[in-house]
Amino acid sequence: MPKIYLRAGHGGTSPGTTGNGLVEKQETLKHVLALAAALSEYEAELKLARTGDATVSLSASISEANRWGADLYYSSHVNGFSDSRAFGYESYIYTSPSAGSIRAQNILHPRQAAVWVRWGSRDRGMKRADFAELRDTVMPAILVEQGFISNPGDAGLLKQGSFLNELTSATVQGFVELYGLQRKGTVGKDPAAKTGKHLAAAGETLQTVAERYKLTVAELMLLNPHLADGVLLEGDIVYLTTPGELEKEFALLNRELLLCRKKLKEFQVIGSQIQSLSQQLT
Ligand SMILES: [Zn+2]
């Protein structure tokens, strides 16, 4: 099980940046608590630098994560700037990052950035910096700046529950992809869940498959790009964990084969209708 260390930036006597009625230490805590709640449904070990408004120094967090042997150090912040026009999401890894940090940024950044962009903010890019949290942690580490508290637009998004929910699920999906996380309770109980895929039987829908494996339809559609039309055909392959590129390709080809068979059946019906008509005519 991967060990994920979550740090809500600042806290206690360190409020971080402020603006538009928001305080950074509260926003980072909100994000991390929502993330921890969502991740607790998965087979992952979590440790939080703080769960309330406590003063936890950077060095205390760094050494705690190092001692614990975390697989990832995730630090959440919110930007602030003197010019309120500055806005957008950005993420940081160390200036000479490990392969693990690069991979974490490559997976987590685009998913979070996409949510900011979809809600009208922008992606300021994947960045590198010599921050203590990134330099002194011995495991892959990423620091995210969730918008600008000083910008009315970004601050407005941080105040919206549905935006924050989307940000949380996008981040969870990132962690699922990073570590191939399994939902709790699905591992080992259902034979299909063990193999990570389900073969659709007649009458099954995305909804019934989602319920069976305690997933949501949205999650299934993210895991299965070949089911983007929302229709489940008998014989369709449904991946329950993140499929590899080859598996994705295979599922897509399998889907095309199913569609061809369906068409073939329709042609056979038309063929026999033509045959009986022509018999009546002769
Ligand atoms: Zn900060």
Side-chain angles (χ1 to χ4, degrees):
M1 256 200 279
K3 295 165 101 172
I4 302 170
Y5 189 88
L6 302 171
R7 176 176 158 96
H10 310 278
T13 55
S14 162
T17 185
T18 55
N20 291 295
L22 299 176
V23 183
E24 183 182 0
K25 66 174 182 179
Q26 292 168 353
E27 297 314 301
T28 59
L29 184 62
K30 231 196 289 179
H31 173 63
V32 161
L33 289 181
L35 193 55
L39 281 173
S40 69
E41 309 265 307
Y42 291 85
E43 301 282 350
E45 254 185 277
L46 305 175
K47 197 181 266 297
L48 277 63
R50 62 182 178 101
T51 54
D53 187 21
T55 307
V56 182
S57 72
L58 268 190
S59 57
S61 281
I62 293 165
S63 46
E64 184 179 50
N66 286 348
R67 266 200 321 270
W68 186 48
D71 292 302
L72 181 76
Y73 182 95
Y74 175 93
S75 182
S76 176
H77 287 261
V78 181
N79 253 322
F81 194 56
S82 52
D83 186 339
S84 67
R85 286 172 298 183
F87 74 109
Y89 160 87
E90 61 195 22
S91 70
Y92 289 89
I93 55 175
Y94 186 47
T95 41
S96 48
S98 65
S101 295
I102 293 173
R103 181 164 179 265
Q105 191 179 35
N106 281 341
I107 291 176
L108 291 173
H109 178 102
R111 288 171 181 271
Q112 295 194 330
V115 178
W116 283 93
V117 169
R118 197 157 52 238
W119 284 72
S121 187
R122 71 179 176 121
D123 179 2
R124 300 172 65 89
M126 299 201 276
K127 300 184 174 180
R128 294 181 181 188
D130 184 22
F131 295 149
E133 292 183 89
L134 305 175
R135 184 187 57 237
D136 299 336
T137 41
V138 297
M139 71 291 300
I142 183 166
L143 184 151
V144 294
E145 292 279 2
Q146 305 284 12
F148 278 70
I149 217 163
S150 43
N151 176 262
D154 281 359
L157 292 181
L158 292 172
K159 290 173 186 168
Q160 286 190 54
S162 41
F163 169 77
L164 294 176
N165 288 343
E166 251 187 59
L167 192 60
T168 303
S169 0
T171 311
V172 168
Q173 281 309 315
F175 283 121
V176 167
E177 180 160 347
L178 256 177
Y179 299 111
L181 294 185
Q182 302 259 14
R183 281 251 179 188
K184 276 183 184 159
T186 55
V187 184
K189 284 190 182 159
D190 198 306
K194 242 188 213 167
T195 65
K197 61 176 185 274
H198 172 85
L199 199 62
E204 282 189 317
T205 63
L206 280 176
Q207 186 63 45
T208 61
V209 175
E211 279 164 15
R212 175 166 170 188
Y213 297 104
K214 300 196 187 71
L215 294 163
T216 65
V217 170
E219 284 169 327
L220 279 184
M221 286 174 72
L222 271 174
L223 291 170
N224 298 277
H226 63 290
L227 302 176
D229 58 6
V231 180
L232 194 61
L233 301 173
E234 182 183 354
D236 254 332
I237 294 160
V238 186
Y239 289 109
L240 309 169
T241 56
T242 310
E245 285 311 309
L246 264 181
E247 289 178 311
K248 271 188 205 169
E249 192 108 338
F250 177 62
L252 192 64
L253 286 173
N254 180 64
R255 154 60 71 103
E256 277 169 16
L257 178 69
L258 295 175
L259 288 173
C260 283
R261 281 202 190 129
K262 211 173 137 197
K263 270 269 167 280
L264 186 64
K265 265 186 204 154
E266 286 167 12
F267 285 139
Q268 282 167 343
V269 171
I270 294 171
S272 62
Q273 282 170 347
I274 291 175
Q275 210 168 17
S276 69
L277 275 178
S278 67
Q279 277 164 2
Q280 286 168 33
L281 287 171
T282 51

